[in-house]
Amino acid sequence: MIRYLTAGESHGHALVGIVEGVPAGLPISADYIDHQLRRRQQGYGRGGRMRIEADNVEIVSGVRFGKTIGSPIALIIRNRDSQAWKEKMAVESDGEEVEMVTIPRPGHADFAGSTKYGFDDIRNAIERASARETAMRVACCTIVRKMLEEFGIFIGSHVLSIGTAKISDRGAVDRMIGKYTKASCGAYKITEEADKSQVRMLAKPVESKAVALIKSAKKLGDTLGGVFEVIATGAPIGLGSYVHYDRKLDGLLAQALMSIQAVKGVEIGSGFLNAEKFGSQVHDAYGLSHGKIVRLSNRAGGLEGGVTNGETIVLRGAMKPISTLARPLPSVDLKTKRVVKARYERSDVCAVPACSVIAEAVITPALANAFLEKYGGDSMAEIRKRYSKDRNR
Ligand SMILES: Cc1cc2nc3c(=O)[nH]c(=O)nc-3n(C[C@H](O)[C@H](O)[C@H](O)COP(=O)(O)O)c2cc1C
């Protein structure tokens, strides 16, 4: 089974990751991972840091001559602006010269985190709670994604809304998605199309509205959130299980999405819309096409009973607006106990496009583990044999 851990502070020396359980014989390169890291840094509304950081991963172990060798894969991404933070983030000095952060930002982990760990300096909480960590998550998960792709499972995403700029003609977008997913790279074609938009939206007029909204939020010293959709094609029937709560793939995918910083809502298929309708308007009827069982719709989003049902997997995530505001909300200085304005530090105005890219990555371990549970082996060759035997049955 695949597991991964990341380490590293936002302005520390580097981010570090270890991925364990990746089968031997998977072709992978730093370039392949870097492409996904670059995608994570895009999107209209990002802050200044994205111009400083051009993330590159270094593969330290677990890969030889371009292929995994079954041992743990260690990765490093160096933080390019760490020089400027050398004193503030020193590992060994006593830090006496460094000014402490004592004013928490509403919506961030500042107060809850520093109270939990007993910090006088909120910086200790800020540094690890920051979504900078997702760079390493994307790097680790891109290796897992590559494994899924080798078995024809492709993942894509796009943004449905930013603030009030929403895709209202869902039918048109669904038709587009239906066409894209027929490409040889399945749902990844959605990603390629969405990447052409600066806010990763598939509808041009909504894109312009979203960009204008982000511009005006920035002017007002405010921020925006939104909703994104992640789609996976090619997953065979029978991944996950209904037998235990912790084997239900819908629950595991929801957890993965919810673990992304600032994601506060998750939906599987048309979950929330379905709740307003009669069962007869919701459930995906069966039919026959050339002797094969087919579904006449996919409102369940490809999962029934915590198990993949052979349809496209459709997940959505709602990201709250960024909590660091240039025009800050009231806060309390924890040192002086006076009501003051919250602190501002360099920040994004909107990171929904980036969040959708992160979401594509972080669902892969859940999906891959369900796949390996059914078809797993120590090497890609072994898994391939098991998978093709099952497919040809
Ligand atoms: C891609 C991405 C970029 C983010 N950028 C910022 C940012 O620049 N400033 C900020 O205050 N929060 C940012 N966040 C959100 C915070 O990391 C998050 O709100 C914080 O860690 C508290 O966690 P919670 O919102 O999950 O409760 C970002 C989140 C993501 C996914």
Side-chain angles (χ1 to χ4, degrees):
M1 291 291 123
I2 292 170
R3 22 185 211 141
Y4 73 103
L5 282 176
T6 73
E9 277 71 46
S10 178
H11 300 97
H13 184 58
L15 298 169
V16 175
I18 293 190
V19 197
E20 220 240 352
V22 177
L26 174 73
I28 193 75
S29 67
D31 275 355
Y32 186 86
I33 299 171
D34 284 349
H35 175 65
Q36 295 302 328
L37 293 179
R38 262 192 303 279
R39 291 185 58 236
R40 192 198 75 95
Q41 297 190 283
Q42 305 303 313
Y44 188 79
R46 302 304 301 276
R49 182 156 195 191
M50 289 307 113
R51 285 188 289 275
I52 298 169
E53 301 284 358
D55 288 333
N56 290 109
V57 76
E58 196 181 316
I59 303 177
V60 179
S61 75
V63 177
R64 188 160 186 248
F65 306 136
K67 283 188 178 170
T68 55
I69 53 173
S71 39
I73 302 167
L75 306 173
I76 293 182
I77 299 170
R78 295 183 200 281
N79 285 328
R80 285 184 201 268
D81 69 345
S82 65
Q83 268 312 96
W85 287 75
K86 224 164 126 191
E87 271 80 46
K88 281 188 187 165
M89 294 304 294
V91 173
E92 292 193 0
S93 82
D94 57 17
E96 264 175 17
E97 306 290 299
V98 176
E99 197 188 339
M100 285 200 294
V101 178
T102 57
I103 306 170
R105 294 161 298 174
H108 221 291
D110 302 2
F111 183 61
S114 53
T115 305
K116 174 179 168 64
Y117 290 100
F119 299 140
D120 294 328
D121 186 354
I122 294 172
R123 167 74 47 211
N124 289 340
I126 296 175
E127 285 292 319
R128 182 63 187 161
S130 156
R132 173 78 192 129
E133 176 260 348
T134 59
M136 184 45 82
R137 267 208 264 177
V138 168
C140 291
C141 293
T142 297
I143 299 171
V144 186
R145 177 182 201 149
K146 181 72 167 71
M147 190 204 89
L148 290 171
E149 288 176 354
E150 294 281 313
F151 296 105
I153 302 172
F154 290 95
I155 297 161
S157 75
H158 64 113
V159 170
L160 284 169
S161 69
I162 286 177
T164 53
K166 281 185 192 157
I167 293 200
S168 53
D169 189 358
R170 184 68 229 205
V173 169
D174 278 342
R175 281 192 293 281
M176 248 185 253
I177 290 174
K179 193 178 81 192
Y180 296 153
T181 52
K182 289 191 179 68
S184 60
C185 60
Y188 197 71
K189 180 77 183 158
I190 301 168
T191 268
E192 287 180 338
E193 292 300 320
D195 282 353
K196 292 177 187 165
S197 151
Q198 50 187 336
V199 283
R200 307 206 67 247
M201 280 182 160
L202 294 174
K204 275 270 164 215
V206 195
E207 172 188 354
S208 316
K209 197 176 164 198
V211 170
L213 267 181
I214 296 170
K215 255 185 211 160
S216 68
K218 185 167 186 195
K219 233 187 220 164
L220 294 168
D222 222 319
T223 60
L224 286 164
V227 176
F228 58 86
E229 185 165 80
V230 187
I231 293 173
T233 48
I237 301 181
L239 305 187
S241 178
Y242 50 79
V243 302
H244 272 302
Y245 68 93
D246 59 351
R247 291 178 60 194
K248 286 175 186 274
L249 188 55
D250 46 5
L252 294 166
L253 292 168
Q255 195 281 331
L257 287 185
M258 201 60 124
S259 76
I260 304 172
Q261 288 85 338
V263 170
K264 297 298 153 192
V266 172
E267 186 179 24
I268 305 217
S270 321
F272 287 101
L273 199 60
N274 288 351
E276 297 168 10
K277 295 184 177 173
F278 290 116
S280 57
Q281 300 169 311
V282 167
H283 301 301
D284 304 311
Y286 293 99
L288 280 173
S289 171
H290 308 290
K292 265 183 75 180
I293 295 175
V294 293
R295 303 306 280 260
L296 305 185
S297 56
N298 183 26
R299 288 181 278 263
L303 288 145
E304 289 168 306
V307 182
T308 52
N309 65 7
E311 297 297 310
T312 297
I313 296 173
V314 183
L315 313 166
R316 280 180 213 113
M319 184 186 193
K320 73 183 187 187
I322 298 289
S323 44
T324 307
L325 305 179
R327 187 178 288 177
L329 289 169
S331 181
V332 171
D333 188 326
L334 303 181
K335 199 163 144 200
T336 62
K337 301 288 183 295
R338 284 176 50 192
V339 173
V340 291
K341 292 263 181 231
R343 269 183 59 260
Y344 176 76
E345 70 178 52
R346 190 181 53 194
S347 197
D348 298 327
V349 173
C350 174
V352 182
C355 197
S356 63
V357 173
I358 297 162
E360 289 175 25
V362 300
I363 64 161
T364 58
L367 212 47
N369 280 335
F371 185 85
L372 291 175
E373 192 177 53
K374 201 163 167 61
Y375 302 107
D378 294 313
S379 68
M380 290 296 286
E382 198 177 348
I383 302 168
R384 214 166 260 130
K385 236 185 259 165
R386 289 189 183 145
Y387 190 42
S388 61
K389 197 169 151 202
D390 190 72
R391 301 233 94 183
N392 296 329
R393 225 188 267 163

